[in-house]
Amino acid sequence: MATVNRSLSWLERCLAPSRPLRLLDVGCGECHEGESLIAAGVSLTGIDLDESAIASARIRLSTAKFVCGDAAAFKPSRESLFDVVLVRRPDLAAQPARWRTILASAPVWLTGRGCVVLTTPGPHEAHLGRRWLDEAGFAKTTLEPIEADGERFLVTAMGPEKTNVQQKSAIPEDVVVWEQDEEAPAPFCDPRTGMCSPAPAHNDVSKEKEHVRES
């Protein structure tokens, strides 16, 4: 497997070994790391508001895709989700509302096992970014120092947390359910009336509520 250049060794640690790897570079500018990423087998997409920077990147990196626009409004198709979202040196403190919105969108851009990689020049921005990624619902975020030109802190966010939807019980609320033996269904009792009756065999909640009222 090809590797990214030595100056991006911190990024290589965050990349899965499988290739091709779909990566979105948010605020890419002229995407100076693009050649190294593409050589390492990364399928690269960059997005930036700067038209001239995007035009320059397109000329240099003909195999990459570039979007000139605001990442806060970016909506990739379901077929175009990414394995990695890379955000290098964003001005989090200068534009907090915008970047908070962008980081909140990151889970929507990622595949199920995707991650966000964020670098900052200082600790304040690093803690801001980590907090906003936590708020976005990522299952695990980390913060560590790194030694790179203009980048001193690395924040990673792994696996957007899936909501655990618990199946609601078919038995109405406030109904006491007794343990069921092997031969007969357990009765259930309504504490409002003190009456008990056999639990219904069906799963129709509306009919069960009606059954309680009649008991």
Side-chain angles (χ1 to χ4, degrees):
M1 180 192 73
T3 60
V4 297
N5 65 40
R6 187 172 300 175
S7 66
L8 295 175
S9 59
W10 52 267
L11 176 57
E12 184 176 4
R13 290 189 285 111
C14 303
L15 301 181
S18 59
R19 295 293 188 274
L21 195 70
R22 297 176 59 85
L23 183 145
L24 175 66
D25 190 348
V26 178
C28 64
E30 296 184 9
C31 201
H32 296 296
E33 69 275 14
E35 285 89 351
S36 179
L37 291 171
I38 292 171
V42 170
S43 176
L44 176 63
T45 298
I47 183 168
D48 200 286
L49 285 166
D50 189 329
E51 293 183 7
S52 62
I54 288 293
S56 175
R58 282 174 175 155
I59 292 172
R60 265 185 30 254
L61 305 166
S62 59
T63 60
K65 298 178 182 178
F66 291 97
V67 178
C68 185
D70 187 353
F74 182 54
K75 294 181 180 180
S77 66
R78 188 178 296 274
E79 295 75 26
S80 303
L81 298 181
F82 300 92
D83 303 300
V84 180
V85 171
L86 175 64
V87 188
R88 299 183 68 184
R89 302 183 297 274
D91 50 352
L92 300 184
Q95 301 185 67
R98 178 171 177 270
W99 281 106
R100 191 174 188 176
T101 299
I102 290 172
L103 295 182
S105 300
V108 180
W109 300 337
L110 288 167
T111 59
R113 296 184 179 181
C115 69
V116 175
V117 179
L118 166 71
T119 66
T120 70
H124 176 64
E125 294 89 346
H127 286 289
L128 271 181
R130 185 180 188 181
R131 188 177 77 196
W132 295 340
L133 288 167
D134 282 334
E135 291 175 356
F138 284 91
K140 179 182 178 182
T141 60
T142 61
L143 189 159
E144 62 180 292
I146 57 173
E147 292 295 331
D149 186 20
E151 295 163 306
R152 292 291 178 268
F153 292 90
L154 171 66
V155 179
T156 58
M158 304 295 295
E161 194 171 74
K162 295 182 180 179
T163 303
N164 293 322
V165 180
Q166 296 182 351
Q167 186 174 4
K168 292 185 178 180
S169 171
I171 305 299
E173 295 181 3
D174 299 325
V175 171
V176 178
V177 181
W178 300 94
E179 290 186 3
Q180 183 170 327
D181 61 33
E182 297 180 357
E183 297 181 359
F188 66 96
C189 301
D190 188 341
R192 293 165 295 187
T193 65
M195 301 294 292
C196 296
S197 60
H202 54 71
N203 292 322
D204 188 322
V205 174
S206 63
K207 289 183 180 179
E208 288 171 10
K209 289 183 177 179
E210 185 177 319
H211 183 83
V212 171
R213 289 195 296 270
E214 293 174 354
S215 298

